[in-house]
Amino acid sequence: MKKILTLTLATALSICSVQADSTLVIKGSDTLGAKLVPQLAEAYKASHPGVSFSIAAEGSTTGIAAIIDGTADIGMASRRAFDTEVSAAGANGRTLKPTIVAYDGIAVIVNSANSVSALNKKQIEGIFTGTIKDWSEVGGKPGAISIYTRNTSSGTYSDFAKMAMGGNNYAETAQKMAGNEEIASEVGKNSAGVGYVGMAYLNASGVKSVAVNGVKPTISTVQNHSYPLSRSTFYYTNGPATGEAASFLAFTISPAGQKIVQAVGFAPLK
């Protein structure tokens, strides 16, 4: 009896070990991690019932950092790794390997009641750097502009500054938000508000996207890069993905995964 009990205990410990090893840790981008990756994870678990996920969406910088320090299997990012991050990874004996998983357009949003429906990049730069302070300067009704941006750990924060603001600094009056949903919520409540979000967040109540240089963010304009603020989004791994991370990455870029990508609001890979 004692021998049987010992074997049973050993088997149970073995099972627990397997279950612990099947937890996929994913950290990083709010753009990817707030909606898309959780939905991909749920679909993946349907055919991989032994796999669990730990997903933390706190900004692209945190995802890349987690690959550098080895605390995540996949780092979600809405931007390319900086040279300093690549160097830090090398110094830590790790290699940042990006894989494009979806395309996105950074949509400039205003309150639905705002009469402004189109802006050019020069006007957008002026608004977000603070040199344009009133809606009347860009064809709207008079009123001071309220600016909402992501925080500094966000890949969207740095991408937008580079793509839409000529690399210039944000206005000191800009209010930093933790995620896309927070920006959409604030703009939706403020008739003078302006911000930017990923395409997956355009259905938020009380907001609308404006055309940029005459082009609206849609799946087709993002796929063909005719929308000026189009970009790629990434999974980062330590070198080529292995094990469960490789399997989940393959699912993400498969036809089934890309169907979810499009359903959530991103532009799928061609």
Side-chain angles (χ1 to χ4, degrees):
M1 178 66 73
K2 180 181 283 188
K3 185 176 182 180
I4 293 173
L5 185 61
T6 302
L7 287 173
T8 302
L9 180 59
T11 302
L13 289 172
S14 175
I15 291 171
C16 289
S17 176
V18 170
Q19 289 177 337
D21 290 343
S22 64
T23 297
L24 197 57
V25 179
I26 304 177
K27 298 181 180 181
S29 167
D30 170 82
T31 298
L32 291 174
K35 286 187 177 182
L36 176 57
V37 172
Q39 291 194 31
L40 287 166
E42 287 302 310
Y44 184 81
K45 286 192 293 185
S47 56
H48 299 77
V51 179
S52 62
F53 286 80
S54 174
I55 301 171
E58 299 174 339
S60 297
T61 298
T62 65
I64 294 172
I67 299 302
I68 294 171
D69 63 24
T71 57
D73 301 300
I74 293 174
M76 304 174 289
S78 60
R79 62 166 174 83
R80 291 276 185 184
F82 300 139
D83 290 344
T84 52
E85 292 168 326
V86 173
S87 297
N92 210 29
R94 305 180 75 81
T95 302
L96 293 174
K97 168 69 174 175
T99 301
I100 297 173
V101 294
Y103 300 120
D104 190 24
I106 306 177
V108 178
I109 58 169
V110 297
N111 187 275
S112 296
N114 196 322
S115 60
V116 173
S117 60
L119 294 166
N120 60 45
K121 286 183 69 176
K122 194 66 179 175
Q123 291 172 320
I124 293 170
E125 178 182 338
I127 288 170
F128 282 89
T129 58
T131 59
I132 294 176
K133 302 180 183 298
D134 195 281
W135 283 112
S136 61
E137 298 178 65
V138 291
K141 296 179 180 179
I145 298 172
S146 298
I147 305 166
Y148 299 95
T149 77
R150 293 291 306 282
N151 58 36
T152 55
S153 67
S154 161
T156 307
Y157 178 91
S158 56
D159 268 357
F160 188 81
K162 179 174 63 178
M163 298 168 69
M165 298 164 55
N168 292 307
N169 293 327
Y170 286 90
E172 291 184 1
T173 56
Q175 301 175 65
K176 295 181 175 67
M177 303 284 113
N180 290 273
E181 291 180 345
E182 288 81 359
I183 290 179
S185 176
E186 292 302 318
V187 173
K189 293 184 292 187
N190 184 349
S191 61
V194 64
Y196 52 78
V197 295
M199 290 171 61
Y201 303 87
L202 287 178
N203 291 328
S205 176
V207 306
K208 65 179 183 180
S209 65
V210 301
V212 177
N213 288 359
V215 182
K216 293 273 282 186
T218 66
I219 288 174
S220 61
T221 61
V222 167
Q223 278 186 325
N224 65 25
H225 302 294
S226 60
Y227 179 64
L229 305 181
S230 302
R231 60 177 178 169
S232 300
T233 63
F234 308 89
Y235 286 172
Y236 272 88
T237 53
N238 176 32
T242 59
E244 208 66 62
S247 180
F248 182 67
L249 190 157
F251 171 73
T252 298
I253 63 177
S254 73
Q258 290 297 296
K259 186 175 181 180
I260 296 170
V261 164
Q262 182 164 340
V264 172
F266 291 80
L269 304 177
K270 292 184 178 180

